[in-house]
Amino acid sequence: MAVQTVAANSTPGTNGDSPYDLGAAVALSCRECGTRTPLGPSFVCLECFGPLEVAYELPTGDPEGLRKRIEAGPASMWRYAPLLPVPADVAAGPNLNPGFTQLVKADRLAAELGVTGGLYVKDDSGNPTHSFKDRPVAIALQAARAFGFTTLSCSSTGNLAGAVGAAAARAGLRSCVFIPDGLEQSKVVMAAVYGGDLVAIDGTYDDVNRFCSELIGDPLGEGWGFTNVNLRPFYAEGSKTLAYEICEQLGWRLPDQIVIPVASGCQLVKIDKGLRELIRLGLVEDKPFRIFAAQAEGCSPVSRAFKDGTNVVRPVKRPDTVAKSLAIGDPADGPYVIDICKRTGGAVEDVDDEQIVDAMKLLARTEGVFAETAGGVTLGVTRKLIESGAIDPALTTVVLNTGDGLKTLDAVAPTARPTAVIRPSLDAFRDAGLA
């Protein structure tokens, strides 16, 4: 079977002779200038300071054989191990085995929204710590092991902290994660329960992220693998598996339209990369697809830039939204999100807190899926774009729910109450109008 190097703007000069067992990964490649560097805990190009991402030699020439190999794999994201920077035997090691979550055919929701071409919800709340973050963390863990790190760390708006804590506990590593003070209590508890160190910082997520960047350059951070900093090129690849799964679950075909929540923007960028890889490998038929990005109005720097017709994403200094998991005021991949949405014919839109909560309740009422606030953002934006005509209701559309509503109960608690409080008698039940 032939091999194909898959990396944006790649340049020659690095081969696969690496001391690290990271599967088909052969190098790190700058997304901006294409300069290659050897595999290692690096995240920024030393030539132009652009972001680094993983370059591969992926199997080509026999798409049907590769498709069968994937389908015969484990019911987790590791079925796609040949396309990821992980050892071939990754599923056998101590990890949480996330992925291969439900793709819900949302017919009742489609009827409410007037969608006739097929509406699906990719429900990633079924992951081990109930968010999509288990996917990138699982790959970051493999890189951390390969590079000899002893502590797994991150800056987080909540979900990532829990995912890192759980993955480290399962792997027998120390964890120390950093969050902004004032997160939802359920996410704080979930991050702390795994026994690692949880540090709350008085400030925004961007303050937390800056602190972590300083810690990496200090002797205090020696031996630490930060999933979304020095392990970021590997960590980010985990989101590609959402693209792989959606296409496989659709019968090895691309969705016409996909709506993705945006915090840093990394997830959207990698889903786009995953879809394009499947096309290159011949696993799906090449056809146009449109990507839409969803933000919360209280932290919508990417949406604002898109509407202003610019790629300059101006940071939001004080995010103010019920969707705290998306409250990243200075999204690293914001300009790339805009580029992708423009290239595919999509758009970037935002919704306010009331629309977020209303969408959460709509999804729960129609499909029995209790999404966290980020899922409310995505569905709220989907509804808004359908009403504006930006999303074609006659095409197949996939909406991402990236986490469990049990993590963000405060958002719906004021309006999610008992229908009635009655005495324990049939007459009282009848009088309440519930019979």
Side-chain angles (χ1 to χ4, degrees), residues 242-405:
L242 279 160
Y244 299 158
E245 287 178 21
I246 288 169
C247 290
E248 181 181 353
Q249 290 168 327
L250 286 174
W252 291 107
R253 62 186 177 92
L254 295 165
D256 297 313
Q257 303 169 136
I258 183 167
V259 191
I260 304 168
V262 168
S264 72
C266 175
Q267 182 188 59
L268 184 147
V269 169
K270 291 302 178 178
I271 288 176
D272 174 67
K273 182 182 180 184
L275 295 175
R276 290 184 289 115
E277 284 181 352
L278 292 180
I279 292 170
R280 288 195 188 103
L281 292 168
L283 294 175
V284 296
E285 180 184 353
D286 188 3
K287 69 169 189 175
F289 58 87
R290 301 167 72 199
I291 293 181
F292 298 86
Q295 289 208 291
E297 186 180 281
C299 186
S300 54
V302 185
S303 175
R304 197 171 305 164
F306 181 86
K307 293 175 182 179
D308 289 343
T310 178
N311 278 40
V312 178
V313 179
R314 301 186 184 281
V316 173
K317 293 183 178 180
R318 293 293 172 187
D320 183 16
T321 171
V322 70
K324 294 182 180 180
S325 64
L326 302 184
I328 295 180
D330 190 9
D333 285 326
Y336 298 106
V337 168
I338 294 172
D339 288 343
I340 289 167
C341 290
K342 287 180 177 178
R343 169 172 54 79
T344 63
V348 188
E349 187 54 271
D350 56 80
V351 285
D352 62 29
D353 284 359
E354 184 178 348
Q355 292 168 310
I356 293 168
V357 173
D358 188 55
M360 292 170 67
K361 294 166 71 175
L362 172 63
L363 181 57
R365 173 171 59 81
T366 57
E367 300 298 340
V369 175
F370 186 20
E372 74 163 6
T373 48
V377 169
T378 311
L379 180 55
V381 163
T382 301
R383 178 161 57 180
K384 191 172 181 178
L385 291 174
I386 290 171
E387 292 171 351
S388 72
I391 285 181
D392 187 342
L395 298 178
T396 302
T397 305
V398 176
V399 179
L400 263 62
N401 172 43
T402 51
D404 196 320

Side-chain angles (χ1 to χ4, degrees), residues 78-94:
W78 302 134
R79 67 200 287 112
Y80 309 107
L83 313 181
L84 298 170
V86 296
D89 61 351
V90 60

Side-chain angles (χ1 to χ4, degrees), residues 40 43 49 91 101 130 180 215 288 290 328 343 388 402 411 422 430:
F43 62 100
F49 302 105
T101 55
H130 307 286
L215 185 54
R290 301 167 72 199
I328 295 180
R343 169 172 54 79
S388 72
T402 51
I422 65 172
R430 190 178 297 110

Side-chain angles (χ1 to χ4, degrees), residues 54-105:
V54 179
Y56 299 91
E57 288 183 353
L58 297 180
T60 61
D62 182 14
E64 186 58 32
L66 179 57
R67 195 179 292 118
K68 289 180 179 178
R69 180 180 174 187
I70 289 170
E71 291 173 345
S76 71
M77 63 183 278
W78 302 134
R79 67 200 287 112
Y80 309 107
L83 313 181
L84 298 170
V86 296
D89 61 351
V90 60
N95 68 81
L96 298 177
N97 296 308
F100 216 62
T101 55
Q102 290 188 88
L103 183 68
V104 178
K105 193 171 188 301

